Amino acid sequence: MDVDADNFEEALALLELHLPKAAYVAVDLEMTGIMGPPDTKVCAGDAPQVQYTKSRAVVCRPYNIVQVGICLFEERTPGHFECRPFNVFVFPRPFQERDSEGRQGKVD
């Protein structure tokens, strides 16, 4: 279910109804600009510590959340799940976003 300001109350009611029945809950954030300079690209041969260091250099920058995904998994019969996705669109206004070189620019 795509959720925005127009149907937020309806979606919240459904989420509150089905959350107690969920066997599993998955949460995902979509953010602006998660892309770093070339030296932060993780390569297949990188040791775990190197992968972590490169990834941390990218995600520690200030980004804005633009979408929150919540998925509820309810076990209907043993081993069979019903999935209830909620895609919540979040667009903060105004916000600061950085370009690929790390410079801030105001977006209204």
Side-chain angles (χ1 to χ4, degrees):
M1 169 182 218
D2 287 340
V3 182
D4 57 23
D6 295 331
N7 67 344
F8 180 79
E9 294 298 326
E10 172 192 356
L12 182 60
L14 285 171
L15 186 66
E16 289 175 335
L17 175 69
H18 293 286
L19 184 59
K21 303 176 206 170
Y24 302 98
V25 177
V27 178
D28 178 45
L29 301 178
E30 297 299 328
M31 303 172 79
T32 60
I34 299 212
M35 202 167 141
D39 63 322
T40 61
K41 183 176 181 186
V42 174
C43 301
D46 288 344
Q49 182 60 41
V50 173
Q51 290 180 12
Y52 174 80
T53 302
K54 287 180 176 181
S55 298
R56 184 179 166 107
V58 174
V59 298
C60 70
R61 296 177 180 195
Y63 296 107
N64 292 293
I65 298 170
V66 294
Q67 183 180 2
V68 177
I70 302 170
C71 221
L72 308 179
F73 295 88
E74 184 179 339
E75 192 167 18
R76 304 299 275 173
T77 59
H80 294 89
F81 294 86
E82 183 171 343
C83 176
R84 298 182 191 282
F86 296 85
N87 301 310
V88 184
F89 297 98
V90 183
F91 300 101
R93 299 273 192 233
F95 66 89
Q96 297 289 325
E97 187 172 81
R98 296 179 186 273
D99 65 15
S100 62
E101 294 166 2
R103 296 181 302 237
Q104 276 193 332
K106 188 172 176 121
V107 178
D108 288 318

